[in-house]
């Protein structure tokens, strides 16, 4: 399977602006990431949510999310990138298929 069915698609969780910058505190992803990952991830996802992102922001957010096993969120970032983002990566279909398989295998577990 190279795409997730619509009922398994998640919206991208938007970080919140906190006293120390963008954070996932108070969201469903609170305490899911180590602080050094969360700081970079929240900033890149904020850029995506604000529609100010470059291709680098999409790529980096998906990489960070995948590295933390947040496959559904990584997939959601790639979906936005493929439809709304700048210059999609030519490897995006293979990447999206790999994440779809990861999401499905975690859903069955």
């Amino acid at each position: 399977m190279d795409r997730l069915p619509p009922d398994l698609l998640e919206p991208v969780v938007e970080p919140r602006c906190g006293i120390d910058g963008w954070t996932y505190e108070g969201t469903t992803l609170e305490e899911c990431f180590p602080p050094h990952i969360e700081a970079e991830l929240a900033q890149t996802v904020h850029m995506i949510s604000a529609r100010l992102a470059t291709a680098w922001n999409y790529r980096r957010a998906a990489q960070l999310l995948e590295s933390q096993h947040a496959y559904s969120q990584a997939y959601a970032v790639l979906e936005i990138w493929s439809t709304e983002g700048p210059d999609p990566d030519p490897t995006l279909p293979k990447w999206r298929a790999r994440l779809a398989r990861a999401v499905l295998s975690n859903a069955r577990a």
Side-chain angles (χ1 to χ4, degrees):
M1 169 169 281
D2 63 339
R3 305 285 300 255
L4 282 179
D7 61 320
L8 290 179
L9 290 177
E10 286 185 5
V12 173
V13 175
E14 294 184 33
R16 295 181 176 188
C17 186
I19 194 164
D20 294 324
W22 295 98
T23 179
Y24 282 105
E25 187 175 322
T27 71
T28 57
L29 296 180
E30 184 174 18
E31 298 183 22
C32 287
F33 310 112
H36 67 284
I37 298 288
E38 182 180 350
E40 182 181 0
L41 179 60
Q43 180 64 38
T44 58
V45 174
H46 164 68
M47 296 296 287
I48 292 166
S49 299
R51 296 194 179 347
L52 301 171
T54 64
W56 182 89
N57 296 112
Y58 288 93
R59 186 177 297 109
R60 187 63 180 150
Q63 288 169 341
L64 289 169
L65 288 161
E66 185 176 16
S67 75
Q68 299 300 303
H69 308 284
Y71 302 121
S72 294
Q73 284 295 295
Y75 186 92
V77 165
L78 294 184
E79 279 294 294
I80 292 172
W81 188 13
S82 70
T83 59
E84 301 174 18
D87 304 324
D89 190 303
T91 64
L92 193 120
K94 287 182 182 179
W95 195 0
R96 185 171 39 206
R98 183 177 71 236
L99 289 172
R101 286 190 301 273
V103 170
L104 290 172
S105 69
N106 283 344
R108 292 183 198 125

